[in-house]
Amino acid sequence: MYEPIRTKSVHALADTADFPHRSREEELNIQLAGHLSALLAVTDELGLDEAAESIAGQIARLRGAPPARHAGLTGADPAALHRRALALAGRALVVAASRADTAAAILSAERMDAHTAALHEPHLVGAH
């Protein structure tokens, strides 16, 4: 009465064996390096050279290569930059904790403390 279907359904999932897959650890490394790279750009803009070098070291460890550095200044308000850096350091801390990366977690927590202090001390905002 009915003829059997001879072709694959267009709604069937594609064969995923052909696609490269990353492990959860690799995905977390990529995510952490991304958050730290964004933090590095803000840190460079604030002119915090010692902190920037520490962040760059962690990025190099995660990626296996030194990071690209922030080339230009945006002229953004230092308080806004500190708030952005605080948020980025918080994101990096969450990812570092989830992958049990102690070095990155400690660095992220230190950066959070520094940016929090800068926001609460008006004379520190913009200090290099």
Side-chain angles (χ1 to χ4, degrees):
M1 180 180 238
Y2 293 102
E3 182 157 346
I5 297 173
R6 294 197 170 123
T7 60
K8 287 188 176 183
S9 169
V10 295
H11 301 289
L13 294 176
D15 184 16
T16 57
D18 296 340
F19 295 106
H21 295 285
R22 290 188 284 254
S23 68
R24 181 175 187 275
E25 186 71 17
E26 290 169 324
E27 289 292 340
L28 289 173
N29 279 350
I30 292 166
Q31 191 176 35
L32 180 57
H35 290 315
L36 289 175
S37 293
L39 179 59
L40 177 61
V42 176
T43 304
D44 276 342
E45 181 145 2
L46 284 166
L48 304 172
D49 296 333
E50 187 177 323
E53 289 306 316
S54 297
I55 297 166
Q58 289 298 316
I59 296 168
R61 178 180 61 84
L62 291 165
R63 289 188 175 159
R69 299 298 289 263
H70 186 56
L73 301 177
T74 64
D77 175 45
L81 290 173
H82 281 291
R83 283 190 295 275
R84 174 134 175 84
L86 178 61
L88 290 165
R91 290 182 189 128
L93 178 60
V94 169
V95 177
S98 70
R99 66 181 297 272
D101 187 330
T102 306
I106 290 171
L107 175 66
S108 298
E110 288 172 349
R111 297 314 315 144
M112 287 179 71
D113 289 345
H115 294 294
T116 299
L119 287 168
H120 288 13
E121 297 291 333
H123 68 279
L124 291 178
V125 174
H128 303 299

